[in-house]
Amino acid sequence: MYRAIAGLARGTSRLQVLREKAPASTAPAISILTKSAAPVSTTSRARLIRNRSSFEPLARQFHSSMACRLDQAVSDRYMALDQGGAALVTYVWIDGTGEGLRSKTRTVASTPKSPHELPVWNFDGSSTGQATGHDSDVYLKPVALFKDPFVVSGGDNQLVMCETLDKHGNPHETNNRHACAAAMEAASAHAPWFGIEQEFTLLDVDLHPLGWPKQGFPGPQGPYYCGVGANRVFGRQVMDCHYKACLYSGIKMGGTNVEVMPGQFEYQVGPCEGTSMGDQLWIARYIMERVAEEFGVVVSLDPKPIPGDWNGAGAHCNFSTKEMRGEGGMDVIMAAIAQLEKTHDRHIQRYDPKGGKDNARRLTGRHETAPIDRFSSGVAHRGASIRIPRQCSKDGRGYLEDRRPSSNCDPYSVTDALIRTCLLKNWD
């Protein structure tokens, strides 16, 4: 039985599970094993692009090292110590790959009530693919606060989602939130709502899908979706702990379910209005990574983690406006779909961090997807680009589901594109 599954079986309590941690020398490599790097031009950003096989020896070292077993019960003794009225605030940001997350923590005198109370901070952009070594400082601008579910004793600690700014204080080239915020402000009269269904795959630390035989494959897809039982579901504790941690933090979690491919899961965030969709999904992803750390498993957002007759992973985006939700809303929905057809190629470019190359492996016309080069729509049609839920069709109003975004998409880019196509009719 795999070491990670054995850890899960011992229970979900932080006081019970022995977790495997990477040695300091291997942790940076392990953290990006399943990340796909975006096209880059600077030398520092190029360092993030690695051949996956070059890290596999490090993964095996991580997996087998007995020295990296840490007892969480020992850690909890220190985590419970009083902080003397101070608060720990963990700044979270998106790195130069466009899909990886980074974080660091600072002490503030008291618990902030708003992100605007927190100081602008900085980090070494040459180590995240966002700057060169001779001009390395990149600024962090706090934009959205959440309760910290990991250090819950001793003080009122916080997570804060941040935008990245360049040395002049302008939005960094990797900052997609700024443009998204401008689009949301311009369209605010329409009260746009979003809900994103985030699919992900759990891997053992050797990067093999969790619960899969080490040699060969599990049985074909069919019994795993929303399944029950140890022979169908591998890693439910990770999903359940993530769910509770997100609710504690203030994330609008809509629900969770086990997905079609074994080892694959989904959680839903929303409905959220405006930029809060991106803020909440990115923090939910951060929380998932941290929860998985504690169980000694790896989270993959690769849109097609296993080639062949296996489902990929998406981030289906549900979208509506107050006009769509009102009487006669179906006419508004159909008009939006007509606009989306005209801009299909532009959306494909915005729906994964490699300009469509990641999604090309997933959007094949099979496994509940539409072909990447053909736009389609339909009621209750999971093989279409845009699905209209049957209940919405029956009610004559509601929302549409854009099934094209990849699991590793930037939700700021996805929601920004929907607003510019359907409401602003302007991509400038």
Side-chain angles (χ1 to χ4, degrees):
M1 184 64 70
Y2 318 129
R3 213 175 259 129
I5 294 179
L8 294 174
R10 285 193 292 271
T12 58
S13 171
R14 299 180 70 190
L15 297 177
Q16 294 174 311
V17 181
L18 295 176
R19 296 151 175 95
E20 293 190 350
K21 301 283 186 178
S25 62
T26 66
I30 297 298
S31 70
I32 62 170
L33 281 170
T34 59
K35 306 297 183 187
S36 301
V40 293
S41 55
T42 65
T43 302
S44 62
R45 293 177 70 188
R47 287 204 304 267
L48 293 179
I49 304 175
R50 297 291 188 267
N51 186 316
R52 181 169 173 165
S53 63
S54 68
F55 290 113
E56 289 179 349
L58 294 176
R60 287 191 289 271
Q61 177 185 350
F62 173 81
H63 184 64
S64 61
S65 173
M66 296 300 292
C68 65
R69 278 188 177 274
L70 300 180
D71 189 337
Q72 189 65 46
V74 174
S75 174
D76 285 345
R77 290 209 308 258
Y78 296 96
M79 292 297 101
L81 294 175
D82 185 75
Q83 297 171 192
L88 307 182
V89 180
T90 298
Y91 284 51
V92 180
W93 73 96
I94 306 161
D95 69 17
T97 65
E99 54 185 311
L101 285 167
R102 307 295 179 107
S103 68
K104 62 178 188 173
T105 304
R106 70 181 299 160
T107 307
V108 296
S110 59
T111 302
K113 304 301 181 186
S114 163
H116 308 298
E117 297 176 17
L118 291 168
V120 171
W121 206 5
N122 64 76
F123 66 92
D124 172 17
S126 69
S127 295
T128 65
Q130 291 165 292
T132 57
H134 66 273
D135 190 12
S136 63
D137 286 2
V138 178
Y139 293 114
L140 291 171
K141 176 187 174 183
V143 293
L145 271 178
F146 301 87
K147 292 169 66 176
D148 187 340
F150 302 106
V151 187
V152 297
S153 301
D156 190 4
N157 303 307
Q158 305 285 309
L159 306 175
V160 62
M161 188 65 202
C162 298
E163 286 192 27
T164 51
L165 308 177
D166 65 19
K167 63 183 179 182
H168 303 294
N170 298 319
H172 192 273
E173 62 178 329
T174 59
N175 177 353
N176 293 321
R177 187 185 187 277
H178 182 79
C180 177
M184 296 302 171
E185 177 63 26
S188 60
H190 299 280
W193 291 1
F194 304 93
I196 291 184
E197 307 165 24
Q198 177 66 70
E199 295 177 334
F200 63 95
T201 307
L202 292 179
L203 310 176
D204 206 342
V205 288
D206 61 359
L207 305 186
H208 202 72
L210 193 66
W212 286 38
K214 292 301 183 185
Q215 302 294 329
F217 298 90
Q221 296 182 154
Y224 309 106
Y225 173 69
C226 295
V228 178
N231 60 336
R232 294 183 175 89
V233 182
F234 314 108
R236 188 190 297 274
Q237 294 98 321
V238 177
M239 179 179 73
D240 289 347
C241 291
H242 172 257
Y243 198 164
K244 294 279 284 191
C246 284
L247 289 174
Y248 175 86
S249 295
I251 304 291
K252 289 186 177 180
M253 290 288 282
T256 63
N257 60 269
V258 181
E259 267 301 333
V260 176
M261 189 182 83
Q264 193 177 73
F265 299 86
E266 173 185 299
Y267 58 90
Q268 303 95 36
V269 177
C272 300
E273 188 166 345
T275 53
S276 67
M277 181 70 259
D279 297 338
Q280 295 205 26
L281 188 63
W282 277 115
I283 292 296
R285 288 175 175 178
Y286 174 80
I287 292 173
M288 173 55 77
E289 293 278 8
R290 290 285 305 274
V291 169
E293 266 185 45
E294 298 200 18
F295 281 109
V297 296
V298 176
V299 179
S300 172
L301 296 185
D302 191 303
K304 188 68 174 178
I306 305 297
D309 195 15
W310 304 99
N311 273 37
H316 305 155
C317 184
N318 301 283
F319 168 60
S320 72
T321 63
K322 68 178 182 180
E323 294 84 3
M324 294 179 185
R325 299 186 293 269
E327 291 295 329
M330 188 53 62
D331 290 338
V332 183
I333 291 172
M334 296 308 296
I337 291 173
Q339 291 298 315
L340 289 168
E341 182 172 14
K342 295 176 184 176
T343 55
H344 175 67
D345 291 343
R346 299 190 76 168
H347 281 257
I348 290 298
Q349 291 172 6
R350 300 288 292 274
Y351 281 5
D352 78 50
K354 288 199 179 72
K357 292 181 180 178
D358 277 347
N359 242 342
R361 294 182 285 120
R362 166 181 164 258
L363 298 180
T364 62
R366 300 184 64 211
H367 306 111
E368 302 180 75
T369 69
I372 194 169
D373 58 349
R374 293 200 298 274
F375 181 89
S376 59
S377 63
V379 174
H381 190 350
R382 282 179 163 77
S385 308
I386 305 293
R387 180 179 72 95
I388 301 171
R390 189 173 300 284
Q391 189 63 47
C392 295
S393 177
K394 180 179 178 181
D395 294 342
R397 59 183 178 179
Y399 65 95
L400 62 84
E401 178 194 41
D402 191 338
R403 298 178 59 81
R404 296 170 294 175
S406 67
S407 51
N408 61 347
C409 70
D410 184 342
Y412 296 130
S413 291
V414 171
T415 56
D416 178 42
L418 286 167
I419 290 296
R420 293 183 186 279
T421 290
C422 300
L423 297 178
L424 303 183
K425 314 292 195 299
N426 181 3
W427 280 71
D428 297 327

